[in-house]
Amino acid sequence: MSSDKVDARAVVGAYIARHGLLSAGGKYLVALSGGADSVALLLLLLDLGYRVEAAHCNFHLRGAESDRDEAFVAGLCRERGVALHLAHFDTAGYASLHKVSIEMAARTLRYAYFERLRADIGATAVCVAHHRGDNVETVLMNLIRGTGIRGLAGIKPVNGTIVRPLLCLSRGDIEAYLRSVGQGYVTDSTNLVADVMRNKIRLEVLPLLEKVNPAVVENISRTAEHIAEAEKVLDRAVAEAVARVSKESGGVVEVDVARLSCEPSPESVLFEILSRHGFTPQQVGQVCSCLDAPTGRMYSSPTHDLLFDRGRLLIAEKRESPKPLVIPEPGLYAMADGRRLRVAREPLGGGFAIPRAGLKAAVDASKVAFPLVLRPVGQGDRFVPFGMKGSKLVSDYLTDRKANVFEKRSQLMLTDAAGQAVWLVGERVDNRCRITGSTAEAIVVGVE
């Protein structure tokens, strides 16, 4: 279809309705750079009767050209009676401080500002002006990067509070619309230089592809739409598979390897689980290729650890070991993980019952000296498990109890002033300070 024949207002209106992007009673924030795309977005939404305000970011990256853009946007909003919000950023300074590219810095600053402003003015969503060409460039970039099916679905019309009403128009459609209404715009000179991947694709790759097939942009865009629809089916199937093969308890995700192996695509299911915890596609492939690995093998993402453990994959968040908690006397103490530790003295009377298991224990007060210390188990720690006479390495005891690495890592021990073990929290008290028939007073300790 020729761009000159597109009724942009009708096409955008139908696209908004089909995807439920905007509502008649809502207020919307338009990201307005001053370029053709954002100017067309503002005018089309106004023409369609939506209530909008505009936001412009001056990143101070192009000298006088950045100031020219700001002045143009301010003039346009005055002419159209649109409230304008302006923000100025030291983008280069932010990029240097956070050690990211200029492009990433500008993106981070822009979207963080839009979201804060959206909430402040009570807008329903932020409208940005990505069009069909941007979508095709994104698909090609993702194809080059190897991002998988989701990447080939391209840019979504809705992403949280970000909506994109112009994905149904080409750049040619947008320029034709602006000509038809006699509206000018500004051009960002950096978009004309093939110095970053997106610009190289726009200025060099797509023109070559259009020589092969002039309809390449429209065809890739249509294919991305088909993939996006197929992705909905895939997402449901993968979500059901994830529920079949995994469960979460106490902050640890457990994946049953045998069940995972029976799925039609174990790697797709595993990717869905592990990608949520920072693991890369390459790591997912490595894990999937050795599902029969022995207990103890581990992989790590920046935020989580994955452990092979007796036919299971266990995924847990990385956490620093808590500092020792000193308990000078009975009372209620805050633990590092948000729980509380209650320590009390209780005489042994007729109604006293010795806790037998769980997160509460009682020991003979005469055999324990304050201050007590609650700390993580250390290498070489030993204790005498209740009911036994000889001491045992805590690590051996936990191995016998089939505790995994994560459980060992989080295991706490209560010791007294002499450093003697009092209680392996949640497991057993030390036999040397157990309550006997001659005990007159107990120290009762419980995690709440």
Side-chain angles (χ1 to χ4, degrees):
M1 180 183 295
S2 170
S3 295
D4 293 332
K5 296 181 181 179
V6 169
D7 182 345
R9 184 183 187 279
V11 170
V12 172
Y15 188 78
I16 290 172
R18 177 155 62 95
H19 292 281
L21 302 185
L22 310 176
S23 61
K27 178 165 74 170
Y28 298 95
L29 183 65
V30 175
L32 185 62
S33 69
D37 309 332
S38 65
V39 170
L41 175 62
L42 178 70
L43 299 192
L44 283 164
L45 294 185
L46 288 172
D47 194 20
L48 289 165
Y50 291 105
R51 188 159 56 107
V52 299
E53 296 184 15
H56 176 78
C57 299
N58 188 330
F59 296 107
H60 293 282
L61 293 172
R62 293 176 287 119
E65 192 174 285
S66 292
D67 297 331
R68 175 210 65 182
D69 294 354
E70 180 178 322
F72 172 82
V73 164
L76 175 64
C77 288
R78 280 196 303 272
E79 292 172 9
R80 302 287 174 168
V82 174
L84 174 64
H85 306 270
L86 293 171
H88 290 250
F89 296 109
D90 178 8
T91 313
Y94 181 94
S96 176
L97 178 65
H98 294 275
K99 294 180 171 53
V100 296
S101 68
I102 290 291
E103 293 76 17
M104 181 57 70
R107 175 183 171 82
T108 301
L109 291 168
R110 177 169 65 246
Y111 281 105
Y113 168 65
F114 289 158
E115 179 55 26
R116 289 194 302 270
L117 179 58
R118 182 201 65 78
D120 288 344
I121 68 173
T124 306
V126 179
C127 301
V128 296
H130 292 117
H131 55 75
R132 184 186 298 159
D134 295 319
N135 195 20
V136 170
E137 291 163 13
T138 297
V139 170
L140 291 175
M141 288 172 63
N142 289 340
L143 183 63
I144 292 168
R145 290 168 173 163
T147 57
I149 291 176
R150 283 183 173 80
L152 298 183
I155 304 173
K156 289 181 169 55
V158 181
N159 184 9
T161 57
I162 302 294
V163 297
R164 300 178 171 92
L166 299 192
L167 286 175
C168 53
L169 297 181
S170 70
R171 173 72 181 201
D173 297 332
I174 289 169
E175 292 176 345
Y177 167 74
L178 292 174
R179 285 195 299 271
S180 73
V181 297
Q183 177 62 57
Y185 54 88
V186 294
T187 299
D188 182 344
S189 61
T190 61
N191 288 336
L192 305 177
V193 181
D195 59 345
V196 295
M197 183 185 292
R198 184 176 290 277
N199 283 1
K200 287 180 184 294
I201 290 173
R202 178 186 303 133
L203 301 174
E204 298 176 1
V205 176
L206 278 173
L208 286 174
L209 292 176
E210 287 174 335
K211 290 181 180 179
V212 177
N213 183 349
V216 66
V217 170
E218 184 175 348
N219 290 345
I220 292 176
S221 179
R222 187 181 302 113
T223 299
E225 291 178 4
H226 293 329
I227 292 175
E229 289 302 310
E231 185 185 6
K232 296 176 184 177
V233 179
L234 175 64
D235 284 348
R236 174 177 292 184
V238 171
E240 292 171 352
V242 167
R244 285 193 296 270
V245 307
S246 67
K247 61 183 178 181
E248 183 173 354
S249 178
V252 177
V253 176
E254 177 183 327
V255 180
D256 187 303
V257 171
R259 291 181 180 176
L260 176 66
S261 299
C262 291
E263 292 296 329
S265 178
E267 188 163 348
S268 294
V269 179
L270 194 59
F271 178 81
E272 182 67 20
I273 297 170
L274 296 186
S275 62
R276 301 172 185 173
H277 305 295
F279 291 89
T280 66
Q282 292 75 18
Q283 287 177 306
V284 175
Q286 292 168 2
V287 173
C288 209
S289 68
C290 62
L291 290 177
D292 58 351
T295 292
R297 179 174 292 186
M298 292 189 70
Y299 289 84
S300 292
S301 76
T303 58
H304 288 73
D305 289 323
L306 179 149
L307 170 70
F308 283 78
D309 183 75
R310 294 183 288 271
R312 304 174 299 170
L313 303 178
L314 304 179
I315 304 117
E317 185 179 1
K318 291 180 177 179
R319 293 179 181 173
E320 292 184 5
S321 295
K323 295 180 180 179
L325 173 63
V326 179
I327 303 156
E329 61 185 15
L332 187 62
Y333 297 85
M335 296 171 61
D337 60 6
R339 295 180 295 176
R340 300 183 300 174
L341 182 75
R342 188 179 297 277
V343 182
R345 289 183 179 271
E346 292 187 23
L348 263 67
F352 182 84
I354 300 175
R356 295 297 181 185
L359 294 176
K360 191 173 184 181
V363 296
D364 190 322
S366 68
K367 299 174 182 176
V368 174
F370 283 92
L372 305 179
V373 177
L374 182 70
R375 61 170 176 79
V377 168
Q379 187 175 6
D381 277 340
R382 305 183 72 93
F383 83 129
V384 181
F386 178 80
M388 296 178 61
K389 294 184 178 179
S391 70
K392 188 165 189 168
L393 281 169
V394 173
S395 59
D396 289 344
Y397 171 85
L398 293 174
T399 297
D400 292 343
R401 296 279 290 170
K402 296 189 175 0
N404 60 57
V405 170
F406 298 144
E407 291 166 335
K408 291 179 179 179
R409 188 186 295 172
S410 62
Q411 180 64 55
L412 298 175
M413 171 179 274
L414 186 69
T415 60
D416 72 354
Q420 176 181 293
V422 174
W423 180 35
L424 192 62
V425 177
E427 292 292 333
R428 297 191 192 186
V429 299
D430 191 288
N431 198 60
R432 292 167 291 186
C433 55
R434 73 188 187 282
I435 291 177
T436 67
S438 61
T439 300
E441 185 180 43
I443 298 293
V444 180
V445 187
V447 177
E448 301 176 350

